[in-house]
């Protein structure tokens, strides 16, 4: 059968050989605690490319030291980070996969010694540090940090950039009325709450003309949070700005435990795809080739992001191909080992 999961797709001049994406996952494994990659990262990412994922996305990587979640996060706030990331990319590209990096800033969710920042001085939880309300100057500095990070991502040979606008981290803190209580041009209406992300996208585009994805949390699991209609508005604006794909996750803005079941976030990828007319990525408990194939064949999303299942099995894409009875190249030339 012709499996949609193993059909190529192009974003601008980047063609993915299939629709399987290694979803970004923080590994908290920068042993030097200065944001640099370690031998762990080379093995970790290259093995998923060897396992035939079409796109390997590097974990949330911080654009500023204070934007890390933990001291062991990866960083891209200085030119010193470029070389290691370039080496990670060499490993990924060796197997015909494309690579992406998720550019991130944790805002009020950082668990760090340093001061942390947010659009408003509201802690994530009672027992967490209260963030400093960002001044206009702080906002400018942070937008420039995303721009410089995009330039470094280009220098490190990434094919695609994803901006982390989900899970209650800084960009999400601006988007959400639960965390953004500002009275200046960055707060209030949804148009204003979108301004920070709009300015980041525009700044990134001055140095980067490759495909750009944005991950959003399309449900905040709170009655006063953004509505689905708000997310359709944000996605439509991003389409106008030239964003290639919305990666549809949910939650993390305020402490909440949403119900989790196979495909629990799929309705957001499907809804945004059809309402904002933009390509989407589906993520969340997608664990088998058959499940992924159903999503694509029914036109519910364009890419399948796999996180925990690919942590457990680096060769997840190969296993999915077996599920679907599709012949794809073996992870290593010794075919017999994979039959
Ligand atoms: C994650 N997730 C995540 N998401 C993201 O946007 N950036 C990140 O850096 C991380 N980090 C991370 C670490 C670990 C250990 C896990 C398990 C998850 C969320 C992840 O990408 C995915 O959206 C969810 O795990 C749901 O997909 P699965 O695991 O059900 O396939």
């Amino acid at each position: 059968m012709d499996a949609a999961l193993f059909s190529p797709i192009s974003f601008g001049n980047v063609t993915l050989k299939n629709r399987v994406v290694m979803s970004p996952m923080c590994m908290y494994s920068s042993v030097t605690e200065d944001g640099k990659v370690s031998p762990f990262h080379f093995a970790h990412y290259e093995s998923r490319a060897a396992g035939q994922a079409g796109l390997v996305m590097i974990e949330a990587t911080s654009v500023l030291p204070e934007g890390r979640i933990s001291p062991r996060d990866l960083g891209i706030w200085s030119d010193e980070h470029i070389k290691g990331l370039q080496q990670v990319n060499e490993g990924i590209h060796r197997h015909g996969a494309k690579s992406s990096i998720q550019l991130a800033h944790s805002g009020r969710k950082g668990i760090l010694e340093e001061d942390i920042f947010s659009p408003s001085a509201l802690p994530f939880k009672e027992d967490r540090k209260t963030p400093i309300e960002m001044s206009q100057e702080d906002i400018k500095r942070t937008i420039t940090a995303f721009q410089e990070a995009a330039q470094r991502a280009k220098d490190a040979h990434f094919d695609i950039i994803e901006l982390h606008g989900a899970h209650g981290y800084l960009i999400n803190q601006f988007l959400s009325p639960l965390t953004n209580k500002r009275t200046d041009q960055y707060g209030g209406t949804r148009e204003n709450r979108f301004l920070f992300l709009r300015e980041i996208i525009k700044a990134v585009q001055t140095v980067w003309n490759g495909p750009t994805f944005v991950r959003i949390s399309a449900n905040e699991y709170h009655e006063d949070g953004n509505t689905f209609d708000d997310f359709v508005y944000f996605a439509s604006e991003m389409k106008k700005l030239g964003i290639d794909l919305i990666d549809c996750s949910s939650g993390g803005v305020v402490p909440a435990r949403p119900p989790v079941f196979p495909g629990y976030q799929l309705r957001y990828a499907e809804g945004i795809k059809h309402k904002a007319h933009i390509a989407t990525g589906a993520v969340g408990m997608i664990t088998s080739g058959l499940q992924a194939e159903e999503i694509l064949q029914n036109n519910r999303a364009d890419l399948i992001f796999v996180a925990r299942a690919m942590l457990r099995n680096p060769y997840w894409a190969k296993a999915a191909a077996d599920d679907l009875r599709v012949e794809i190249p073996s992870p290593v030339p010794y075919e017999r080992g994979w039959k």
Side-chain angles (χ1 to χ4, degrees), residues 3 5-6 17-22 47-56 95 97 286-290 292-293 304 306-307 309-331 338:
L5 189 59
F6 292 94
K17 64 182 171 181
N18 62 44
R19 310 300 181 95
V20 181
V21 182
M22 178 186 188
S47 61
R48 273 69 191 182
Q52 298 303 303
L55 178 66
V56 174
H95 304 274
I286 301 168
T287 52
S288 75
L290 283 173
E293 187 66 13
I304 304 295
V306 181
M310 206 178 289
L311 268 193
R312 293 193 285 271
N313 180 6
Y315 304 101
W316 187 90
K318 179 69 177 155
D322 290 346
D323 254 14
L324 296 168
R325 300 182 200 286
V326 179
E327 288 279 336
I328 63 165
S330 296
W338 297 94

Side-chain angles (χ1 to χ4, degrees), residues 166-177:
H167 303 161
Y169 295 113
L170 186 65
I171 291 174
N172 201 171
Q173 289 159 34
F174 273 89
L175 291 177
S176 176

Side-chain angles (χ1 to χ4, degrees), residues 28-90:
Y28 308 110
S29 295
S30 172
V31 289
T32 46
E33 301 203 353
D34 57 2
K36 293 209 181 119
V37 299
S38 69
F40 165 83
H41 298 98
F42 300 132
H44 179 65
Y45 290 113
E46 182 168 354
S47 61
R48 273 69 191 182
Q52 298 303 303
L55 178 66
V56 174
M57 193 173 290
I58 308 297
E59 64 202 82
T61 302
S62 188
V63 301
L64 284 169
E66 72 265 23
R68 288 174 293 175
I69 304 165
S70 86
R72 297 186 73 180
D73 287 19
L74 287 187
I76 189 164
W77 62 79
S78 95
D79 289 348
E80 305 266 290
H81 294 113
I82 297 171
K83 192 159 168 262
L85 292 168
Q86 219 172 56
Q87 275 175 276
V88 172
N89 277 332
E90 270 169 36

Side-chain angles (χ1 to χ4, degrees), residues 7-308:
S7 63
I9 184 170
S10 298
F11 297 96
N13 56 4
V14 175
T15 301
L16 308 182
K17 64 182 171 181
N18 62 44
R19 310 300 181 95
V20 181
V21 182
M22 178 186 188
S23 196
M25 280 176 282
C26 282
M27 290 289 108
Y28 308 110
S29 295
S30 172
V31 289
T32 46
E33 301 203 353
D34 57 2
K36 293 209 181 119
V37 299
S38 69
F40 165 83
H41 298 98
F42 300 132
H44 179 65
Y45 290 113
E46 182 168 354
S47 61
R48 273 69 191 182
Q52 298 303 303
L55 178 66
V56 174
M57 193 173 290
I58 308 297
E59 64 202 82
T61 302
S62 188
V63 301
L64 284 169
E66 72 265 23
R68 288 174 293 175
I69 304 165
S70 86
R72 297 186 73 180
D73 287 19
L74 287 187
I76 189 164
W77 62 79
S78 95
D79 289 348
E80 305 266 290
H81 294 113
I82 297 171
K83 192 159 168 262
L85 292 168
Q86 219 172 56
Q87 275 175 276
V88 172
N89 277 332
E90 270 169 36
I92 293 170
H93 289 147
R94 245 196 294 280
H95 304 274
K98 300 294 183 192
S99 68
S100 176
I101 185 164
Q102 192 186 47
L103 300 182
H105 188 302
S106 60
R108 71 175 187 164
K109 288 182 90 176
I111 306 168
L112 300 165
E113 298 274 310
E114 291 97 325
D115 284 340
I116 55 173
F117 296 86
S118 192
S120 302
L122 299 167
F124 176 59
K125 286 183 189 171
E126 259 179 28
D127 59 349
R128 292 277 193 94
K129 211 189 249 184
T130 299
I132 296 172
E133 179 178 316
M134 288 169 81
S135 64
Q136 298 267 333
E137 205 39 56
D138 293 329
I139 290 175
K140 277 207 190 80
R141 189 170 58 88
T142 307
I143 292 169
T144 303
F146 273 96
Q147 180 186 35
E148 289 173 354
Q151 176 65 52
R152 293 184 189 111
K154 189 172 170 180
D155 296 341
H157 306 150
F158 283 101
D159 302 294
I160 295 176
I161 284 178
E162 176 164 290
L163 300 171
H164 197 348
H167 303 161
Y169 295 113
L170 186 65
I171 291 174
N172 201 171
Q173 289 159 34
F174 273 89
L175 291 177
S176 176
L178 300 171
T179 44
N180 181 346
K181 307 287 183 193
R182 298 179 74 90
T183 52
D184 62 4
Q185 73 271 36
Y186 293 98
T189 62
R190 66 186 184 183
E191 287 79 2
N192 287 3
R193 298 196 309 277
F194 182 69
L195 182 61
F196 181 64
L197 177 53
R198 183 190 294 282
E199 290 184 345
I200 289 175
I201 292 170
K202 286 189 166 170
V204 163
Q205 287 171 340
T206 62
V207 296
W208 171 263
N209 60 7
T212 311
F213 298 174
V214 177
R215 177 166 273 200
I216 59 168
S217 276
N219 187 339
E220 299 183 351
Y221 304 109
H222 191 292
E223 58 186 14
D224 299 326
N226 278 310
T227 63
F228 188 66
D229 186 59
D230 293 326
F231 290 108
V232 172
Y233 163 78
F234 296 143
S236 305
E237 290 301 299
M238 288 194 264
K239 187 184 176 186
K240 286 190 224 157
L241 287 165
I243 293 299
D244 295 271
L245 176 137
I246 307 292
D247 168 11
C248 298
S249 188
S250 72
V253 182
V254 289
R257 287 207 160 265
V260 172
F261 49 85
Y264 65 101
Q265 299 173 141
L266 186 53
R267 71 191 90 156
Y268 314 125
E270 185 170 14
I272 285 174
K273 179 174 168 62
H274 296 293
K275 290 213 159 74
H277 309 288
I278 186 166
T280 58
V283 66
M285 269 193 90
I286 301 168
T287 52
S288 75
L290 283 173
Q291 190 190 356
E293 187 66 13
E294 182 278 324
I295 294 166
L296 296 172
Q297 291 283 3
N298 282 318
N299 204 21
R300 304 172 81 184
D302 299 272
L303 291 180
I304 304 295
F305 285 63
V306 181
R308 288 164 294 182

